[in-house]
Amino acid sequence: LSILACSTIFLTACAGLMPDEQSRENIEHKTFAYNYQVPDVDREELWRRARGYFDATLADNQSDFEIEDRAAGTLTGRGLASWRMSREYCSAEYHIRFQAQDEEARLELQLIEDVLPFRECSGFGWPGKEAEEIIASHFESLSEGLGEALQGY
């Protein structure tokens, strides 16, 4: 009987640790994907335009590309999104994944959940709703600018 009681307590505790549907949905919304159609532009040229855009737009301390493969049309790295909380600035890292094919490209931006915000804003964990809105706005702006760069504007 005591084994059954311990098993019940253990299973109940584990069930409490399982993410609920809302948490799972929130995690899924932390990835932002953007698709681009660019007629008559090949993969290498799209890659070159994207690389130039990221170089011109993101400061050296805001991005770091670990994989740059022009022939494959890929860029993979990390970016930094910042927001103000009260009198302090907070920053969170995100993945940058760019993939070009002939006449099309895709950008994915995803907050890195395992990395807590930089400690300028000590005592805070994952960005709150207001910060997520600021980050989403940053991502939208980054995507719009990339779209223009891919078009050659």
Side-chain angles (χ1 to χ4, degrees):
L1 184 60
S2 65
I3 293 173
L4 182 61
C6 289
S7 296
T8 303
I9 291 170
F10 177 75
L11 291 174
T12 304
C14 288
L17 297 175
M18 297 298 288
D20 62 11
E21 202 60 38
Q22 183 177 4
S23 296
R24 185 169 293 128
E25 185 177 320
N26 287 341
I27 290 169
E28 290 172 358
H29 289 298
K30 289 180 178 39
T31 299
F32 297 78
Y34 307 93
N35 295 304
Y36 310 91
Q37 299 297 317
V38 190
D40 304 320
V41 181
D42 68 21
R43 172 180 41 215
E44 286 192 34
E45 179 61 19
L46 289 173
W47 183 92
R48 188 188 64 71
R49 290 177 184 180
R51 188 65 183 112
Y53 171 75
F54 290 128
D55 282 346
T57 304
L58 300 176
D60 288 339
N61 64 345
Q62 288 183 316
S63 68
D64 178 31
F65 288 95
E66 296 134 5
I67 299 171
E68 298 184 40
D69 189 337
R70 185 177 192 156
T74 59
L75 287 168
T76 303
R78 291 178 179 226
L80 190 64
S82 300
W83 67 95
R84 187 177 177 111
M85 178 177 262
S86 196
R87 295 184 311 185
E88 299 176 321
Y89 285 94
C90 300
S91 300
E93 288 187 341
Y94 59 90
H95 289 293
I96 302 171
R97 293 181 194 94
F98 175 81
Q99 177 66 53
Q101 298 296 326
D102 290 343
E103 300 187 355
E104 62 185 24
R106 181 176 178 88
L107 174 66
E108 290 182 4
L109 304 170
Q110 180 183 32
L111 287 172
I112 301 173
E113 193 158 1
D114 296 339
V115 178
L116 292 177
F118 292 151
R119 294 292 108 198
E120 289 179 29
C121 56
S122 58
F124 297 98
W126 188 255
K129 184 169 178 57
E130 184 177 317
E132 285 185 4
E133 289 173 5
I134 292 169
I135 292 168
S137 176
H138 168 76
F139 287 174
E140 290 293 324
S141 177
L142 194 64
S143 173
E144 286 175 20
L146 178 61
E148 291 177 4
L150 294 176
Q151 295 292 336
Y153 302 138

